[in-house]
Amino acid sequence: MTRWWLAALLAAPLAAAAQEPAPAPAGQTGFEAAEAAAQEDPREVVGAPRGRALSGPALDARTEEVGALLRCPVCQGLSIADSPAAMASKMKARVRELLAAGYDEEQILAYFERSYGEFVRLEPPRRGINWLVWLAPPMALLGGLVLVRRVFIKPGGAVAAPVNAASRAAGAAPDPELEPYLLRVRELAYGWPGGVPPAKTQ
């Protein structure tokens, strides 16, 4: 299982790299190339509209919802619905046009992905290596639970009880495996030689 975790950690940078914007053609900046590509006929990119043409308050609300799923290429940490950048405003206006024409959410996301790459999506699509972005957190949580179980639960199924003052007062012997570490901690924290309180050195 450890090898699977290591493989996932090593592949995570590849997932992030896959979301970086594609390089621009010679003679153009990345923003210029993407902005030019975003003016393509959407029918040639994602086909005919699959949704219902919106207008009025429904169009305004849906524009905000879809805009919240697209990353601003300038601010990067903000969606185009929240960014004050001029490019974000242009992209948001384009989203509004596409919704008014009847394009659905997935078509609009695919349309902008064609121009800016997967980087433009605030939520990576669940496909290919991007699955690592979604699976890594639960895998890390599962690994942490397994580690905690191995540390605090003995092979026989008994839970290792922590050594505390109450148990010592009752005459309970400390766990022999933990005793050296406890003594070392006391020595560092209190300056007791060998971790033994001064009263016990006499």
Side-chain angles (χ1 to χ4, degrees):
M1 183 177 289
T2 303
R3 285 181 290 182
W4 281 102
W5 294 342
L6 291 175
L9 291 175
L10 292 174
L14 298 177
Q19 298 177 41
E20 291 296 325
Q28 284 184 315
T29 65
F31 292 159
E32 290 172 347
E35 192 171 3
Q39 301 305 316
E40 291 181 309
D41 182 357
R43 289 180 177 272
E44 297 180 358
V45 179
V46 295
R50 296 197 301 255
R52 178 174 59 88
L54 301 177
S55 61
L59 176 59
D60 296 336
R62 193 65 180 135
T63 299
E64 293 295 327
E65 292 173 1
V66 177
L69 301 176
L70 292 168
R71 187 192 312 273
C72 173
V74 178
C75 302
Q76 297 190 7
L78 297 176
S79 69
I80 64 172
D82 300 323
S83 172
M87 178 170 288
S89 298
K90 291 180 181 179
M91 293 173 66
K92 187 175 177 181
R94 188 59 168 159
V95 169
R96 184 182 180 86
E97 292 174 3
L98 295 173
L99 288 170
Y103 289 91
D104 62 19
E105 177 183 303
E106 189 55 39
Q107 284 183 301
I108 294 173
L109 294 178
Y111 175 77
F112 281 96
E113 184 178 337
R114 164 72 176 272
S115 304
Y116 297 91
E118 287 186 1
F119 170 81
V120 79
R121 294 192 185 219
L122 280 173
E123 293 186 1
R126 294 176 176 85
R127 65 180 182 232
I129 199 170
N130 287 337
W131 276 108
L132 286 175
V133 178
W134 298 96
L135 296 179
M139 288 175 62
L141 178 60
L142 178 61
L145 293 175
V146 171
L147 180 62
V148 168
R149 180 179 177 84
R150 288 186 176 181
V151 170
F152 292 101
I153 299 182
K154 296 181 178 180
V159 177
V163 178
N164 51 40
S167 63
R168 285 183 177 276
D175 188 329
E177 296 181 0
L178 296 179
E179 182 68 9
Y181 301 102
L182 292 174
L183 294 175
R184 179 59 177 164
V185 169
R186 290 181 185 138
E187 182 178 6
L188 294 175
Y190 303 109
W192 296 340
V196 180
K200 294 187 177 182
T201 57
Q202 299 177 358

